Amino acid sequence: MSTQVVNEASKRRTFAIISHPDAGKTTLTEKFLLYAGAITSGGAVKAHEGRRSATSDWMDMEQKRGISITSTALNFPYRDHELNLLDTPGHRDFSEDTYRVLSAVDAVVMVLDAAKGIEPQTLKLFEVCRSRNLPVITFLNKLDRPGIEPLELLDMIEAQIGLRPTPATWPVGSFGDLRGVIDRRTDIFTRFTRTARGSQIAPEEDVPAARAATEEGKEWEKAAEETALLSAMEADVDMPSFLAGESTPVFAGSALTNFGVRHLLDAIVDLAPAPTPRLDVNNEPRPLDSPVSAFVFKVQANMDKNHRDRIAFARICSGQFDRGMVMTCERTGKPFATKYASTVFGAERTTIDEAFPGDVVGLVNATGLNIGDSLFDETGPRVKFPPIPSFAPEVFATARPVDTGKSKQFRKGLAQLNEEGVVQVLKDPDWGDASPVLAAVGQLQFDVFANRLEFEFNAPIEISPAPYQAIRVTDKESADKLREKPGVRILARFSGDMVALFENKYALQRIEQNEPELTLEPIVAG
Ligand code: G4P
């Protein structure tokens, strides 16, 4: 059994795609499925219209947006491996969930729009990858149309995110006329043929260099010069620095026309690491073949209008998970039955009977499970994995129950949703629970919060933006002095810790400079 677990784990690749909205994440996801044979035609899984709608009903949003949002984890076989692609919702849906997903993957594909370079959202997500030393594979997308010169894009990667780019493939063909890619590791030039709207796998032909030089003329010459330059710079794929999160293999192509997609998908199997033993809170690795263990990285409620249930998504860290087994939640010590373990694909749920390290299981009806919980099989040693980092809030709002008769339900909801990490709830010590301030990484978290309070706790609320720009953790002594200052508000977390909210970032900077004795700790990831 144990060698089987290790063998199965070695076939898993668990990864996420990070990108700025519109860089092509959805298109690329779909093309991965096409190349892996999980769908037969591109265009099947996109729900563009819905995906772009700005409704505030979480569940309807989920359903309308289709696969890019709903599928927390897509599992599909490719080349005798099992690929688990975890979704990082894009910026319109930006929330702490996006960050948390990155705690459950072993590698990341960073998609850049070749016309835009590195955009803010990518940078933000990349910072999280850096803090976890996640290996990053870069895809230069949209090379089928006018954009920034690929060599310049490499400079941007190096200068703006500090990763050493090591191109694995290189484009042949000028803007608007992409012909194919050279694999610098094998010197094979693959020429692609477009299919109508890229809905089918692009036919490809491997062309030897001599023939390519005649047939592709100037385009070939340019690419050959550039790859010679890259070789002179020794910008070659380097596994140790890639795995350490210091260099990034770069792939070139176009998700829309499918050019270069296969090379990228192959790289996920060939370069991205398989699951390794996960470190517990004491920095002890949990061997892959020890009894089953997992941690919850996402909890989602109300996914299905008919059920209004709650699914906890857990990544398996060790052992073989068998549906129906009883797992114990480390935090509560309570057993948890896994009879309804499933994978979620679009609106569909499929029962999952077994899972191995790297896989994600959706635990249905998981009341009692919170984000960050460690789960284990009681027959083996207990384990507690490190908590999932929380992130510095960037947006703030106030919440008020619409119906004052519902204040009990309101209070209960606040406590639970705060504990789950849906938003951070901050209370005014003088006002109690009456009008708390909510703090979050993204606006969507407020929508989810309001939706869940209404439907799960029967306490509809009204949310209004609050005029704060920054938050710091403080202590009682400093809080007394800060309270006197204009534009500063002192609030408390449920834990009792005090925080100071500032209406103006610059006022905060002035206070930090002029009164260094005051306790003002940034909330950092970790
Ligand atoms: P996202 O999930 O990262 O937000 O991006 P998405 O895949 O939705 O792509 C955003 C837009 O970019 C889409 O166009 C998509 O077709 C286009 N796109 C993606 N990859 C490529 C590529 O390699 N080349 C080119 N030229 N375009 C690409 P749209 O007009 O917004 O939608 P649609 O009507 O084409 O579907």
Side-chain angles (χ1 to χ4, degrees):
M1 134 98 178
S2 66
T3 44
Q4 193 209 348
V5 170
V6 174
N7 186 31
E8 289 290 342
S10 72
K11 291 185 186 169
R12 264 56 185 181
R13 297 291 181 275
T14 303
F15 68 104
I17 301 178
I18 61 169
S19 67
H20 193 81
D22 284 340
K25 187 177 60 137
T26 313
T27 312
L28 187 62
T29 301
E30 177 184 89
K31 298 312 171 69
F32 279 169
L33 296 174
L34 178 69
Y35 272 75
I39 56 171
T40 52
S41 158
V45 291
K46 244 194 303 197
H48 252 146
E49 292 314 310
R51 201 164 58 79
R52 275 165 200 202
S53 73
T55 151
S56 66
D57 184 323
W58 170 241
M59 194 185 49
D60 284 348
M61 281 192 294
E62 281 280 331
Q63 287 181 348
K64 278 195 206 140
R65 290 174 193 210
I67 208 160
S68 78
I69 307 299
T70 314
S71 326
T72 291
L74 282 176
N75 166 271
F76 54 96
Y78 181 66
R79 280 183 37 201
D80 198 29
H81 284 68
E82 291 292 327
L83 272 50
N84 293 308
L85 170 50
L86 274 54
D87 188 39
T88 50
H91 115 133
R92 295 178 199 90
D93 328 275
F94 203 53
S95 73
E96 269 186 275
D97 273 353
T98 314
Y99 289 145
R100 288 176 185 136
V101 162
L102 297 174
S103 66
V105 300
D106 301 314
V108 155
V109 173
M110 175 168 76
V111 178
L112 303 182
D113 179 336
K116 304 219 173 112
I118 292 156
E119 299 173 271
Q121 188 75 12
T122 320
L123 204 56
K124 247 169 139 177
L125 287 164
F126 172 74
E127 286 306 329
V128 183
C129 299
R130 191 205 305 278
S131 69
R132 297 201 51 235
N133 297 324
L134 275 175
V136 176
I137 297 174
T138 301
F139 186 60
L140 306 180
N141 190 30
K142 305 200 187 183
L143 286 172
D144 59 303
R145 63 176 202 189
I148 303 165
E149 279 293 338
L151 281 176
E152 213 176 305
L153 287 166
L154 298 188
D155 285 344
M156 288 174 158
I157 295 171
E158 180 125 44
Q160 294 178 31
I161 66 180
L163 269 182
R164 191 162 56 83
T166 57
T169 66
W170 197 250
V172 176
S174 53
F175 292 141
D177 183 20
L178 182 66
R179 314 250 173 108
V181 297
I182 304 175
D183 192 324
R184 291 188 58 236
R185 300 160 299 177
T186 56
D187 279 335
I188 294 174
F189 168 55
T190 306
R191 185 160 52 201
F192 298 99
T193 308
R194 284 185 80 136
T195 63
R197 281 176 280 110
S199 63
Q200 299 299 322
I201 288 175
E204 43 185 87
E205 180 192 5
D206 288 345
V207 185
R211 213 179 99 210
T214 347
E215 291 174 3
E216 305 298 341
K218 275 209 168 57
E219 306 294 1
W220 177 262
E221 249 170 63
K222 177 171 179 277
E225 263 170 41
E226 288 170 341
T227 52
L229 183 72
L230 293 171
S231 300
M233 287 160 51
E234 297 185 0
D236 304 327
V237 173
D238 172 60
M239 284 307 282
S241 58
F242 161 59
L243 294 175
E246 291 159 8
S247 71
T248 178
V250 177
F251 290 79
S254 154
L256 187 70
T257 61
N258 303 336
F259 290 17
V261 168
R262 183 182 55 76
H263 291 77
L264 179 63
L265 193 54
D266 281 339
I268 292 161
V269 169
D270 298 330
L271 305 181
T276 50
R278 197 170 183 91
L279 297 178
D280 68 10
V281 273
N282 303 315
N283 265 341
E284 294 289 334
R286 169 98 170 175
L288 291 171
D289 57 0
S290 52
V292 76
S293 66
F295 73 93
V296 177
F297 64 92
K298 176 171 175 174
V299 172
Q300 192 148 307
N302 292 340
M303 278 175 69
D304 184 338
K305 223 170 201 149
N306 299 320
H307 298 299
R308 295 258 178 233
D309 57 7
R310 181 177 145 102
I311 299 192
F313 292 94
R315 175 188 155 128
I316 305 293
C317 300
S318 66
Q320 174 171 342
F321 169 87
D322 289 307
R323 188 169 63 84
M325 71 192 306
V326 174
M327 290 175 87
T328 302
C329 171
E330 190 277 337
R331 180 178 50 85
T332 59
K334 286 192 181 146
F336 177 80
T338 60
K339 191 167 156 207
Y340 299 108
S342 56
T343 56
V344 182
F345 189 96
E348 303 276 305
R349 285 181 194 173
T350 318
T351 305
I352 191 167
D353 287 321
E354 56 174 33
F356 294 94
D359 288 341
V360 170
V361 291
L363 300 169
V364 182
N365 274 331
T367 36
L369 291 187
N370 288 352
I371 288 168
D373 278 349
S374 304
L375 308 174
F376 56 85
D377 173 355
E378 190 96 273
T379 61
R382 335 166 30 98
V383 64
K384 182 176 183 181
F385 294 111
I388 294 180
S390 60
F391 295 87
E394 292 179 22
V395 286
F396 303 89
T398 50
R400 185 180 77 69
V402 173
D403 177 352
T404 43
K406 295 277 166 60
S407 65
K408 202 170 137 203
Q409 291 91 323
F410 176 66
R411 277 204 305 275
K412 191 168 162 224
L414 284 186
Q416 187 182 321
L417 299 179
N418 174 70
E419 192 181 324
E420 274 183 37
V422 174
V423 296
Q424 297 184 34
V425 179
L426 308 170
K427 300 191 284 190
D428 191 316
D430 298 333
W431 297 8
D433 289 326
S435 182
V437 172
L438 313 178
V441 165
Q443 205 68 34
L444 177 76
Q445 286 174 253
F446 298 146
D447 296 344
V448 174
F449 180 79
N451 190 286
R452 290 192 56 187
L453 263 181
E454 180 167 353
F455 290 107
E456 282 175 48
F457 297 91
N458 192 21
I461 56 166
E462 213 169 71
I463 290 197
S464 329
Y468 305 111
Q469 294 187 345
I471 181 168
R472 290 289 184 273
V473 178
T474 187
D475 56 25
K476 186 163 179 332
E477 206 183 345
S478 301
D480 289 342
K481 294 194 182 126
L482 288 163
R483 207 175 264 120
E484 307 299 314
K485 298 185 188 296
V488 182
R489 186 156 173 215
I490 301 297
L491 297 171
R493 289 170 162 164
F494 271 75
S495 61
D497 291 346
M498 298 199 128
V499 293
L501 268 61
F502 297 84
E503 286 181 14
N504 184 317
K505 274 197 267 220
Y506 303 103
L508 164 64
Q509 275 171 15
R510 262 200 313 280
I511 296 173
E512 281 178 323
Q513 263 164 19
N514 298 341
E515 297 174 70
E517 71 284 1
L518 293 178
T519 305
L520 287 169
E521 302 288 341
I523 300 177
V524 286

